[in-house]
Amino acid sequence: MKIAVYPGSFDPITNGHLDIVERSSEMFDTIIIAVFANPRKEPLLTVEERLDLIREVTRHLPNVQVDSFEGLLSDYARQRSAKVIIRGLRAVSDFEYEFQMSLMNKKLNPNVETIFMTSSSKNIYVSSTIIKEVSALGGAVSGLVPRAVENRLVEKFYHRKDGDNE
Ligand code: PNS
């Protein structure tokens, strides 16, 4: 069984992430999309919201599992018997941090290999951060995130109930 972990914040999942998942799901028996529950970051979406959205938009991929993790990714990969970590690369600017992470993960878990997949050109400028900023300021993000994510962003930014202070 070739098991690969695709880790990230996924706050929220974008079409760039989904493209990497779809392409890598053809290369491995199982892909585990692993949402990092980062105690040091204040996300827009809760871990549960992120997991629900990811489950919804990957429903068509039978070999894709969705999970969250705390602590080190290298430990999580070991725990899930995954020998591969998948990361998407959009531009050279991503490379330095990704290179550092892959070497550190290899040091912490010598059985794990990081593989990088290049983003499709249409998604090269798409990031969760830029999607949140554009959406919060009223810009359209259709075509850049799945419809379910688009709807959730609209709910988050524009349909807040009185007293909601998320
Ligand atoms: O989507 P992101 O925010 O670029 O994903 C970053 C992520 C979650 C893959 C990275 O921060 C991570 O692996 N965090 C888990 C904690 C850990 O193992 N840190 C050391 C990495 S060398």
Side-chain angles (χ1 to χ4, degrees):
M1 272 288 263
K2 285 202 195 107
I3 304 170
V5 176
Y6 180 41
S9 304
F10 303 106
D11 184 39
I13 188 166
T14 67
N15 282 355
H17 294 126
L18 196 53
D19 172 55
I20 300 281
V21 174
E22 283 170 346
R23 285 156 56 205
S24 55
S25 71
E26 294 184 11
M27 298 161 51
F28 295 92
D29 297 310
T30 303
I31 302 285
I32 304 167
I33 304 180
V35 175
F36 178 46
N38 189 345
R40 288 186 304 162
K41 260 195 192 171
E42 193 146 321
L44 174 70
L45 304 172
T46 65
V47 169
E48 270 317 312
E49 285 176 310
R50 283 178 268 166
L51 291 172
D52 284 348
L53 282 172
I54 299 170
R55 277 190 205 106
E56 187 172 340
V57 303
T58 58
R59 216 185 284 143
H60 60 297
L61 302 167
N63 62 337
V64 170
Q65 297 177 15
V66 184
D67 193 12
S68 62
F69 73 104
E70 289 171 354
L72 288 172
L73 173 60
S74 49
D75 289 339
Y76 178 75
R78 191 180 290 115
Q79 197 185 310
R80 298 300 308 261
S81 309
K83 293 209 169 71
V84 172
I85 293 170
I86 297 168
R87 292 287 289 170
L89 273 187
R90 286 165 302 196
V92 181
S93 51
D94 285 342
F95 184 74
E96 200 170 324
Y97 170 60
E98 294 296 336
F99 189 57
Q100 211 176 12
M101 271 210 308
S102 79
L103 291 173
M104 182 54 90
N105 282 325
K106 186 81 181 164
K107 162 108 182 83
L108 295 169
N109 178 353
N111 292 322
V112 82
E113 212 57 70
T114 300
I115 67 162
F116 297 107
M117 292 185 71
T118 46
S119 287
S120 301
S121 52
K122 64 180 192 303
N123 294 315
I124 235 133
Y125 63 99
V126 178
S127 72
S128 300
T129 306
I130 210 163
I131 290 291
K132 281 183 282 193
E133 177 156 341
V134 169
S135 184
L137 296 172
V141 292
S142 44
L144 306 178
V145 292
R147 182 57 65 89
V149 170
E150 206 183 325
N151 293 343
R152 182 59 62 88
L153 289 172
V154 169
E155 266 169 39
K156 279 273 170 190
F157 291 125
Y158 304 106
H159 296 175
R160 283 188 197 165
K161 289 183 226 90
D162 286 344
D164 244 7
N165 50 10
E166 260 175 44

